[in-house]
Amino acid sequence: MSFAHPNEQIGILLRGVVDVVEREELLARLTRSADRNEPLTVMAGFDPSAPDLHLGHTVLLRKMRQFQELGHKVIFLIGDFTATVGDPSGHDGLHRQRPSLTSDQVEQFSRTYLQQVSRILDPGNTRVEHNSSWLKDLPLSNLLSLASHIPVKRLASWHEPQTYDHLCVDRFLYPLLQAYDSIHLKVDIQIGGQDQVQNLLVVRELMAAAGQEPQCVLVTQLLEGTDATLCEGKFVGRKMSKTFDNTIGITESPEKIQSKVLALNDALIWRYFELLTDCSMPEISAFKMDVEAGKRSMQSVKEYLAQDLIRMYHS
Amino acid sequence: MSFAHPNEQIGILLRGVVDVVEREELLARLTRSADRNEPLTVMAGFDPSAPDLHLGHTVLLRKMRQFQELGHKVIFLIGDFTATVGDPSGHDGLHRQRPSLTSDQVEQFSRTYLQQVSRILDPGNTRVEHNSSWLKDLPLSNLLSLASHIPVKRLASWHEPQTYDHLCVDRFLYPLLQAYDSIHLKVDIQIGGQDQVQNLLVVRELMAAAGQEPQCVLVTQLLEGTDATLCEGKFVGRKMSKTFDNTIGITESPEKIQSKVLALNDALIWRYFELLTDCSMPEISAFKMDVEAGKRSMQSVKEYLAQDLIRMYHS
């Protein structure tokens, strides 16, 4: 196969992306990939403790699919290692204060996850990895080496004083473990949500410290939940999350999806179109102008969005 | 063999000790040991990067010997693991920013160390351990479990703002590794200098978190260097350390030891007697009273001290 022109790829890949670190590096990688006719390695990590996918998750998964469609290699990384740390069957009677999952639970969650993910990603072209396979045997000396590159002060500055007061040292190790994932997998591009940006910048530095070319980072938008509204041109509301009970699950019934979409605040619709569907940006603009000009009802556009989502996840 | 009465043991063991955590626990352990006729496991850790022993080191080593003489098991722990972390032969091209030692260097230093130590400890009764033997294969999950018990804030509070600004995450892992040493060796009593107290308190907590009885901690005095003086009843001066070039090495020639002792500030002499010799406390008091009453010259007492030290390390 041959790859599309890097500028054409960039056009597709930057839709719904709030930040790229660094854009020039991304272009350089895509150019090199096209020149050598070699795919890039693109990775995103997922927490196995939340196996029911909702539309918020699909923003990132759809970005992965775009990379697949452009011919790149996509790794779906299940972060099972930290989820199972402190399994009470461990050595020395050590135990975690926070609840954690057993290996069996993680295995079961991973299966559910992958079943749902296969509605978005091309399963035959998706490499699934569990980070326990390299982290459980990671020599301590490697971790100490990584740790010696990251100032404590920097990690501390990410936290509000109230949170910081209760923070334990393990939390300062997670960014290092994430870095090791990328080092181990020799990742070219990692995709993450806005809540991951600080971690992913540390990962870049540690890859450089390990003598690797630092991965590019694509930061996708967080999708607003169904309870979001627009106030003075800005969205007011929280991200879509089970915690806030404002999700649309991809395994929910067509009727449920339809009714939830119809109840959305009008202003959210264009954003949902951009982040969740294959409608081109010109098509979305045309819809919007039609509604503003009174040529189309908002109701009909919402129905169109609902049908599009139902078709994607129920066919 | 049978053990001396716990109170008698305490009398010997607390000489030159500035703090015990906790004194009641220490008494309880000694009592249990005597009742069951089982020795206690006593440990002290040593950095393999400073192999030339001076009198400052002997304060702690002599305390270990006292435990040996009382029938307990003594472990001389060589902290070779952290000294060799970041060996450039490691994986992934990762390297430490600080200089570190090769395994060969550590091995050579350890030999020199043990040769010198055998002038103080009973070599046949001293168990020598290298912490690399358990730390190099310590599963990461165990480290994360330990880390989840220690607040970042607490470790941060140990450092002055200027130091804190440059501190990297690896420094927050060292107390956890120390804890793992004690957990692995099932230590009853650890002996350390005053600069180790904060670390050793963390070790106690982590042993408890791991379901073990926390070790007792005996904190020995830091010996003032040869340049210390007395000012308004307080010692002014730094601890004996190679860095400050104020040491008396145990392998120095008898002439050198003699001249350095004779040049000491008078006020230091009683402290050196207490911490460095087998003279009983009543004997030392008698010397002091004799000098104050003009019955003995300070010079002759210094000569006595010098001869005592020379006899200990050159016979």
Side-chain angles (χ1 to χ4, degrees):
Chain A
M1 73 165 291
S2 75
F3 290 87
H5 189 280
N7 284 334
E8 191 188 324
Q9 293 191 54
I10 287 266
I12 295 164
L13 295 172
L14 295 196
R15 171 166 165 177
V17 160
V18 282
D19 198 11
V20 185
V21 191
E22 299 281 342
R23 191 185 277 252
E24 304 73 38
E25 291 178 23
L26 176 63
L27 188 60
R29 295 231 190 197
L30 289 168
T31 305
R32 198 172 57 199
S33 149
D35 288 351
R36 297 184 183 168
N37 206 26
E38 279 172 7
L40 296 176
T41 301
V42 182
M43 183 267 268
F46 297 85
D47 176 359
S49 63
D52 271 331
L53 288 188
H54 55 65
L55 293 180
H57 298 116
T58 70
V59 176
L60 205 146
L61 290 164
R62 287 172 48 78
K63 187 58 61 192
M64 292 172 82
R65 194 189 61 179
Q66 289 168 358
F67 275 101
Q68 279 185 329
E69 287 169 348
L70 291 169
H72 300 291
K73 283 193 295 187
V74 160
I75 300 176
F76 185 88
L77 175 63
I78 297 176
D80 64 332
F81 180 72
T82 45
T84 54
V85 161
D87 182 340
S89 63
H91 296 54
D92 295 321
L94 292 171
H95 57 278
R96 304 269 290 174
Q97 290 164 315
R98 275 177 284 154
S100 58
L101 304 174
T102 66
S103 303
D104 280 354
Q105 281 175 310
V106 168
E107 199 37 57
Q108 197 189 318
F109 283 177
S110 299
R111 271 199 306 273
T112 323
Y113 226 148
L114 290 172
Q115 241 166 23
Q116 296 176 36
V117 162
S118 69
R119 301 183 191 196
I120 300 168
L121 295 178
D122 171 4
N125 258 323
T126 305
R127 180 173 152 202
V128 178
E129 293 280 0
H130 293 73
N131 65 359
S132 62
S133 41
W134 51 89
L135 289 182
K136 75 176 185 318
D137 297 323
L138 174 66
L140 202 48
S141 54
N142 282 30
L143 185 75
L144 282 172
S145 295
L146 287 177
S148 72
H149 291 279
I150 299 301
V152 162
K153 197 181 178 183
R154 169 139 169 232
L155 303 187
S157 73
W158 297 354
H159 302 273
E160 299 294 326
Q162 315 90 291
T163 330
Y164 178 73
D165 284 357
H166 303 286
L167 212 63
C168 283
V169 175
D170 56 328
R171 291 291 300 278
F172 276 20
L173 300 179
Y174 295 150
L176 309 179
L177 301 182
Q178 265 192 286
Y180 199 73
D181 291 343
S182 290
I183 291 169
H184 179 83
L185 295 169
K186 298 188 173 57
V187 171
D188 289 304
I189 300 168
Q190 181 163 358
I191 316 176
Q194 281 160 277
D195 43 2
Q196 284 291 309
V197 177
Q198 290 170 317
N199 276 332
L200 295 180
L201 293 181
V202 167
V203 170
R204 275 174 57 86
E205 283 173 49
L206 290 175
M207 291 180 87
Q212 273 187 30
E213 195 178 359
Q215 62 184 16
C216 295
V217 173
L218 241 69
V219 185
T220 54
Q221 291 197 18
L222 291 175
L223 186 73
E224 282 82 12
T226 52
D227 53 356
T229 53
L230 196 71
C231 179
E232 296 179 0
K234 280 193 162 178
F235 287 105
V236 179
R238 297 166 297 192
K239 68 169 185 176
M240 185 173 284
S241 163
K242 252 189 168 166
T243 316
F244 307 136
D245 196 23
N246 61 1
T247 64
I248 301 178
I250 69 169
T251 55
E252 287 191 88
S253 70
E255 296 70 31
K256 198 94 185 167
I257 293 179
Q258 166 112 0
S259 74
K260 284 188 178 181
V261 170
L262 293 180
L264 287 174
N265 183 291
D266 290 356
L268 272 178
I269 297 301
W270 315 116
R271 202 163 169 85
Y272 272 47
F273 261 116
E274 179 185 353
L275 297 176
L276 306 177
T277 75
D278 291 328
C279 278
S280 71
M281 293 311 288
E283 283 177 292
I284 300 171
S285 295
F287 275 153
K288 200 174 175 185
M289 284 189 296
D290 283 358
V291 168
E292 282 163 3
K295 290 189 198 161
R296 244 180 219 273
S297 69
M298 197 65 214
Q299 174 76 8
S300 73
V301 174
K302 285 184 178 175
E303 271 165 12
Y304 185 98
L305 173 63
Q307 287 313 311
D308 212 18
L309 293 171
I310 291 164
R311 186 187 45 75
M312 289 163 83
Y313 300 113
H314 284 277
S315 60
Chain B
M1 73 166 290
S2 75
F3 291 88
H5 190 279
N7 284 333
E8 190 187 327
Q9 294 191 54
I10 287 267
I12 295 164
L13 294 172
L14 295 196
R15 171 167 163 175
V17 160
V18 283
D19 198 11
V20 185
V21 190
E22 300 281 342
R23 191 185 276 254
E24 305 71 39
E25 291 178 22
L26 176 64
L27 189 60
R29 294 230 189 199
L30 288 169
T31 305
R32 197 172 55 198
S33 149
D35 289 351
R36 297 184 185 169
N37 206 26
E38 279 173 6
L40 296 177
T41 301
V42 182
M43 184 268 268
F46 296 86
D47 177 359
S49 64
D52 272 331
L53 287 187
H54 54 65
L55 293 180
H57 299 115
T58 69
V59 177
L60 205 146
L61 290 164
R62 288 173 47 78
K63 187 57 62 191
M64 292 172 82
R65 194 188 62 180
Q66 290 168 357
F67 275 102
Q68 279 184 330
E69 288 169 347
L70 291 169
H72 300 291
K73 284 194 294 188
V74 160
I75 300 176
F76 185 87
L77 175 64
I78 297 176
D80 65 331
F81 179 73
T82 45
T84 55
V85 161
D87 182 341
S89 62
H91 295 53
D92 297 318
L94 291 172
H95 57 277
R96 301 272 288 177
Q97 290 163 317
R98 275 177 285 154
S100 59
L101 304 175
T102 66
S103 303
D104 279 355
Q105 281 174 311
V106 167
E107 196 39 56
Q108 197 189 317
F109 283 176
S110 299
R111 271 200 305 274
T112 323
Y113 225 149
L114 290 173
Q115 241 164 23
Q116 297 175 36
V117 163
S118 69
R119 301 184 192 196
I120 300 167
L121 296 178
D122 173 3
N125 257 323
T126 306
R127 180 174 153 202
V128 178
E129 294 280 359
H130 294 73
N131 65 0
S132 61
S133 40
W134 50 90
L135 290 183
K136 75 175 187 317
D137 297 323
L138 174 66
L140 202 49
S141 55
N142 281 30
L143 186 75
L144 283 171
S145 295
L146 287 178
S148 73
H149 290 280
I150 299 299
V152 162
K153 198 182 178 182
R154 168 139 170 233
L155 302 187
S157 73
W158 296 355
H159 301 274
E160 298 295 324
Q162 314 92 289
T163 330
Y164 178 72
D165 284 356
H166 304 285
L167 212 64
C168 283
V169 176
D170 57 328
R171 291 291 300 278
F172 276 20
L173 300 179
Y174 294 150
L176 308 180
L177 302 182
Q178 265 192 287
Y180 199 73
D181 291 342
S182 291
I183 290 169
H184 179 83
L185 294 168
K186 299 188 171 59
V187 171
D188 289 305
I189 301 168
Q190 181 162 358
I191 316 175
Q194 281 160 276
D195 42 4
Q196 285 291 311
V197 177
Q198 290 170 317
N199 277 331
L200 296 180
L201 293 181
V202 167
V203 171
R204 276 174 57 86
E205 283 173 49
L206 291 175
M207 291 180 87
Q212 274 186 28
E213 193 177 0
Q215 63 184 16
C216 296
V217 174
L218 240 67
V219 185
T220 56
Q221 290 198 19
L222 291 175
L223 187 72
E224 282 82 13
T226 53
D227 54 355
T229 53
L230 196 72
C231 181
E232 295 178 1
K234 280 194 164 177
F235 287 105
V236 179
R238 296 165 298 193
K239 68 168 184 176
M240 185 173 285
S241 162
K242 251 188 169 168
T243 315
F244 306 137
D245 195 24
N246 61 1
T247 64
I248 300 178
I250 67 168
T251 56
E252 288 193 86
S253 70
E255 295 71 31
K256 197 93 185 167
I257 293 178
Q258 166 111 359
S259 74
K260 284 188 177 181
V261 170
L262 293 180
L264 288 174
N265 183 292
D266 290 355
L268 274 179
I269 298 301
W270 315 117
R271 202 160 168 87
Y272 272 46
F273 262 116
E274 180 184 353
L275 297 176
L276 307 176
T277 75
D278 292 328
C279 279
S280 71
M281 293 310 286
E283 282 177 293
I284 300 171
S285 296
F287 275 152
K288 200 174 176 185
M289 284 190 295
D290 282 357
V291 169
E292 283 165 359
K295 290 189 200 164
R296 245 180 219 273
S297 70
M298 196 66 213
Q299 175 76 8
S300 72
V301 175
K302 285 183 178 177
E303 271 165 11
Y304 186 98
L305 173 62
Q307 288 312 311
D308 212 19
L309 293 171
I310 292 163
R311 186 188 46 72
M312 289 163 84
Y313 299 113
H314 285 277
S315 59

